Amino acid sequence: MLRGAAGRLLRCGGAGGPRAASGSAAAQLRRRLESELEDIRGAGTWKSERVIASRQGPHLRLAGGGDGILNFCANNYLGLSSHPEVIRAAVEALEKFGAGLSSVRFICGTQSIHKDLEEKIARFHQREDAILYASCFDANAGIFEALLTPEDAVLSDELNHASIIDGIRLCKANKYRYKHMDMQDLEAKLQDAQKHRLRLVATDGAFSMDGDIAPLREICQLAQKYDALVFIDECHATGFLGPNGRGTDELLGVMDKVTIINSTLGKALGGAAGGYTTGPKPLIDLLRQRSRPYLFSNSLPPAVVGCASKALDLLMESNAIAQSMAAKTQRFRSKMTAAGFTISGKDHPICPVMLGDARLAAVMAEDMLNRGIYVIGFSYPVVPKGKARIRVQISAVHSDEDIDRCVEAFTEVGRKHGALP
């Protein structure tokens, strides 16, 4: 008995061995984390999560009270998150195909609805093929590593979404970063990258923090001049930019010049989840063989597929929903500018109200909620230091009265906190 007890004690490192050290390490970690969290609170950049007790839509009910809250901070650009036909399609897919596949696609996780949706996405974007992912973050994480080698180069806008940045970090290509939408700098980088085998220019189509749209015509002209390919992330463009909602490449007339599109099903296209890549069929075939987020993630749940498929049907049947965005966006932007606010970007339903100070953005957002308007302040590290803002997002299902009420509340709160004279 004694020998056994002694052996167990030795294996555990003695009375003050690994278990005690582990406890000490955990306490040290807790102190460090609590200190970092306190720094975030002290800087005024703490991000609270408000709990919604209703469907996503232009009007919300918050948990713990707060009925009739006007929602101006969702990516629900077309209002399809609660569209009755979209919901019905999700229920039908759930009943017919089950809750989920419990598997990845290449093992036993591909259903007919997955193939149908991929074909529909490719047709919508007028591309050869498409591949589904659990999210567009996964699509961006999976493409660069599979496509680019140390012989290649990728040229990325400095304000690209974090998922593009992370995806590029994973690949072994030579990396160039050009100044935000600066075509002279991009051209200089393309000239320097001529020594590499393949050159890929990567940009957001519409930039989510600033509401500005990439100069795709000029990018495509430079890509043609220097024999490069163009990749765009269309998460904040698919469904509502362009005459038929196909995105920035349709809006700017360069659909035949953009090689690869990544986008999401989780914003305008039903608002549930999921992402995709669409482009040349050989590229899509390669991603099915080598893209790690695709190979090692469960298939999209049938209900999510049903939502997105119906959303695409609605868009391809009529462009009326997509076209309704322009007037509503212009109404908000013009009225806020007239009130004295600085609104970043141009002609995009993302309307950042630029305030500069992180505390001011947080306090104003909280005061807006007290007036029944749900908006969120954005500050570092989501946006650069000194560029704090409240990002307002217009939806096709906002009424003119909703927009006017939002502007009135902003004007009152802005004057109260010194953001307006």
Side-chain angles (χ1 to χ4, degrees), residues 107-126:
I107 298 178
C108 63
T110 299
Q111 292 175 320
S112 58
I113 52 173
H114 294 101
K115 300 304 293 182
D116 292 344
L117 178 56
E118 287 169 338
E119 186 277 329
K120 197 173 293 185
I121 289 168
R123 182 156 40 92
F124 177 72
H125 286 285
Q126 298 180 4

Side-chain angles (χ1 to χ4, degrees), residues 187 190-191 194 219-228:
E187 182 165 21
L190 279 166
Q191 289 171 348
Q194 288 302 291
I219 289 173
C220 290
Q221 288 169 0
L222 287 174
Q224 187 171 12
K225 180 177 179 179
Y226 292 99
D227 195 24

Side-chain angles (χ1 to χ4, degrees), residues 125 127 231-232 234 249 258-263 276-279:
H125 286 285
R127 297 305 195 274
F231 161 97
I232 55 175
E234 289 285 80
D249 60 339
V258 173
T259 306
I260 307 165
I261 294 173
N262 276 11
S263 194
Y276 58 85
T277 297
T278 184

